[in-house]
Amino acid sequence: MRLFDAHCHFDFPEFDERREQVLARAREVGVQGLVMPGVRRADWPRLTSLASREKGLWYCLGIHPWFVGEHGPADLLALEATLGAKAPECLGVGECGLDALRGSIDEQLPWFSAQVQMAARFDLPLVIHSVKAHDQVATLLRSERWRGRALIHGFSGSYQQACRFIELGCYIGVGGVITHDRAKKTRDVISRLPAGALVLETDAPDMPPAGVPKGQNSPEYIPDVFSRLVELRGDDREKLAEVLLENTAKLYGVAANVLAPS
């Protein structure tokens, strides 16, 4: 069984001094690789360095809504130039998006719009951060006439909102939230969506599954998320694992056997 972490901040300092051990444990439990989304320009060199050194690590480049205040027009130009000459390990644009709980949506919107346009120009998928802003995100994607692929990371909205995203060509990220009994709404939504629209993710070191301390999440817990997903949906384990990996490969535009070799 091949599993993959579609969204993991494996470059964050929390993994320093233990990155090799965590990756080894993840591989032992069937996690073949992961994608690291970029959040600020200062971190991009760290992403490229990690991915070039370690097989199975991929990345995206973007400016996260939390950090738009640290950036200016020159950073968008740098993002465009880097994407235009991107390395094979660079699979998409993001993490970008909107967050109504942190910062100003009005300030975030131009940055999100610029990155959506950039992804369209380079035919790259988007990794989208959407917190209490699903309707605004969907509206912007429609206004930009988005026709590509995208991951709605850490989704916790309604069934209707999820379906609207799927109609727009988006995949829904399934992470540790569904392992918590209190997350009844999200668990119900994920159980009802088509399997062909789902991908596994951890958002490590954040969004830990049940039983894992805050800040200690890691890609080695993808099997825990997967097992709970199987329980919620009642799907065959082997078939669901194949579908989820194929979804991730389609999202990022890489063949499944390249993304996660047998």
Side-chain angles (χ1 to χ4, degrees):
M1 187 178 299
R2 294 179 294 163
L3 301 175
F4 195 90
D5 190 344
H7 183 113
C8 174
H9 295 285
F10 201 55
D11 64 306
F12 277 18
E14 286 87 340
F15 292 106
D16 291 351
E17 312 302 328
R18 64 187 185 101
R19 196 169 278 109
E20 291 184 5
Q21 298 93 318
V22 169
L23 192 57
R25 289 197 299 269
R27 286 171 172 160
E28 286 175 2
V29 296
V31 182
Q32 304 295 315
L34 55 90
V35 171
M36 304 175 290
V39 297
R40 45 157 69 97
R41 182 180 179 180
D43 297 344
W44 299 345
R46 189 171 61 208
L47 292 166
T48 60
S49 176
L50 280 173
S52 67
R53 296 197 315 260
E54 188 68 53
K55 186 178 180 181
L57 300 189
W58 312 80
Y59 65 90
C60 301
L61 296 178
I63 298 172
H64 192 288
W66 291 2
F67 306 117
V68 296
E70 299 178 14
H71 297 82
D75 299 304
L76 283 175
L77 292 174
L79 177 59
E80 184 167 26
T82 306
L83 291 171
K86 74 179 187 68
E89 295 86 6
C90 181
L91 300 183
V93 178
E95 181 174 353
C96 57
L98 303 174
D99 192 323
L101 296 184
R102 186 162 170 172
S104 163
I105 289 282
D106 289 339
E107 291 178 6
Q108 296 165 12
L109 272 167
W111 293 87
F112 182 34
S113 178
Q115 291 176 86
V116 171
Q117 293 170 16
M118 217 173 287
R121 284 199 296 276
F122 290 112
D123 191 25
L124 290 170
L126 284 163
V127 174
I128 298 176
H129 175 102
S130 178
V131 175
K132 302 294 183 182
H134 294 327
D135 293 338
Q136 295 98 316
V137 167
T139 296
L140 188 142
L141 291 175
R142 286 196 186 92
S143 69
E144 294 289 351
R145 300 174 186 254
W146 178 252
R147 294 292 183 270
R149 296 107 54 210
L151 168 63
I152 305 299
H153 144 68
F155 181 82
S156 60
S158 70
Y159 178 76
Q160 291 76 17
Q161 288 171 323
C163 290
R164 284 197 287 272
F165 278 133
I166 293 169
E167 290 171 1
L168 286 167
C170 301
Y171 291 86
I172 303 298
V174 181
V177 169
I178 68 164
T179 68
H180 295 273
D181 292 338
R182 66 179 181 273
K184 291 181 173 58
K185 183 184 78 170
T186 301
R187 286 153 60 98
D188 174 68
V189 170
I190 297 300
S191 71
R192 297 162 58 196
L193 294 176
L198 307 177
V199 300
L200 294 174
E201 62 173 7
T202 61
D203 194 35
D206 297 320
M207 293 182 66
V212 176
K214 184 178 180 180
Q216 294 298 307
N217 195 12
S218 93
E220 65 194 287
Y221 297 117
I222 276 286
D224 296 350
V225 177
F226 174 67
S227 292
R228 184 54 61 93
L229 182 61
V230 171
E231 292 174 12
L232 289 175
R233 299 180 58 85
D235 295 335
D236 176 84
R237 287 181 66 87
E238 298 289 340
K239 289 182 179 178
L240 183 58
E242 291 176 6
V243 169
L244 294 170
L245 178 60
E246 188 60 37
N247 293 346
T248 309
K250 290 177 181 176
L251 164 65
Y252 286 119
V254 179
N257 63 344
V258 173
L259 196 65
S262 300

